[in-house]
Amino acid sequence: MSKDLEFETYLSISPAKLGIYLFDIKNQKNLYKEELIANENINYNRNDLLKNFLDDNIFKIEKLIGNFIENIILIIENENIFNLQIGIKKKNYSSSINKENLKSYLTEAKDLFKENYQNEKIMHIIINKYFIDGKNYHSINNNLECEQLGLEIQFISVSNSFINDLDKILENYQIKIIKYLDGNYIRN
């Protein structure tokens, strides 16, 4: 296993707190944790607080793992998070519903979201409910026979401008954001 696959680095950003964490995947152990509680809401595109926080911690983590941090997982908790729920209803023309049907329906919903919210980056797509022939379910079995399938889908996204501002800051450290996570969603 290569060194960069043995560790995951997380950067957590919320209105009043910054956090950076290093997780050892192989040993399932937290190796580094540093948090900064701010007295006021943090403005990331004008404030040097994030840059100073990264300056103080990136080198320490790289020294700890003996390698450069190339990728980071971003956890966001703030007003830039956009939540949207949509429902789709489809007539089933095949004999049963399977994973391929669901993938197709989700792709269609995702394309619809991207078409209408072009300035948003999707972080999570969640199926909250299934409606099978008018009945409500929270999960379904594979190869279920039905005439109509409806899905209640939740999209959690963040604005591209917010992401671009953070990308510019992290470019100074040659770090790329590989995943975007909603802190409230992963906590719940």
Side-chain angles (χ1 to χ4, degrees):
M1 180 183 269
S2 72
K3 275 201 176 225
D4 51 333
L5 297 177
E6 293 177 14
F7 304 103
E8 287 182 336
T9 307
Y10 295 85
L11 176 62
S12 176
I13 294 176
S14 69
K17 183 172 97 171
L18 294 172
I20 192 163
Y21 314 94
L22 179 67
F23 184 71
D24 181 345
I25 298 169
K26 184 178 173 184
N27 297 313
Q28 297 290 300
K29 184 177 172 184
N30 290 319
L31 296 178
Y32 188 87
K33 173 185 174 182
E34 188 63 39
E35 296 178 334
L36 173 68
I37 308 296
N39 295 333
E40 59 188 52
N41 282 354
I42 301 168
N43 184 344
Y44 296 101
N45 48 358
R46 290 193 203 140
N47 198 325
D48 287 332
L49 189 62
L50 177 59
K51 292 175 188 172
N52 292 337
F53 180 76
L54 292 171
D55 284 343
D56 291 343
N57 292 287
I58 294 294
F59 178 72
K60 290 177 186 176
I61 292 173
E62 290 176 340
K63 186 174 180 182
L64 180 66
I65 62 174
N67 205 356
F68 294 110
I69 299 172
E70 295 177 8
N71 300 313
I72 204 160
I73 299 168
L74 182 63
I75 302 169
I76 306 166
E77 284 185 61
N78 65 25
E79 69 278 353
N80 290 304
I81 303 293
F82 178 62
N83 257 307
L84 177 72
Q85 289 199 23
I86 65 169
I88 60 170
K89 186 176 180 180
K90 293 287 193 178
K91 184 160 180 69
N92 183 24
Y93 293 105
S94 62
S95 60
S96 63
I97 298 293
N98 57 36
K99 287 182 182 180
E100 292 305 313
N101 299 108
L102 285 176
K103 282 182 189 178
S104 171
Y105 299 154
L106 286 173
T107 300
E108 186 177 327
K110 183 178 173 182
D111 291 343
L112 185 64
F113 179 91
K114 286 182 175 182
E115 180 181 323
N116 289 290
Y117 298 95
Q118 296 175 4
N119 294 326
E120 294 288 318
K121 168 86 173 155
I122 297 172
M123 294 190 294
H124 305 280
I125 301 174
I126 305 151
I127 301 175
N128 290 325
K129 292 181 186 172
Y130 301 85
F131 300 96
I132 301 165
D133 293 334
K135 294 180 183 173
N136 182 10
Y137 296 88
H138 290 283
S139 65
I140 62 171
N141 296 327
N142 203 15
N143 297 322
L144 180 70
E145 292 186 22
C146 70
E147 291 182 23
Q148 286 190 335
L149 173 69
L151 299 173
E152 184 181 286
I153 304 168
Q154 179 180 359
F155 289 91
I156 302 174
S157 64
V158 66
S159 72
N160 287 333
S161 62
F162 182 76
I163 295 298
N164 291 338
D165 291 342
L166 290 173
D167 278 339
K168 287 177 187 174
I169 292 170
L170 290 170
E171 279 177 8
N172 295 326
Y173 306 92
Q174 290 83 38
I175 296 174
K176 181 180 177 195
I177 301 170
I178 58 169
K179 283 185 191 172
Y180 304 89
L181 303 173
D182 176 14
N184 290 323
Y185 173 69
I186 60 174
R187 190 178 321 107
N188 294 329

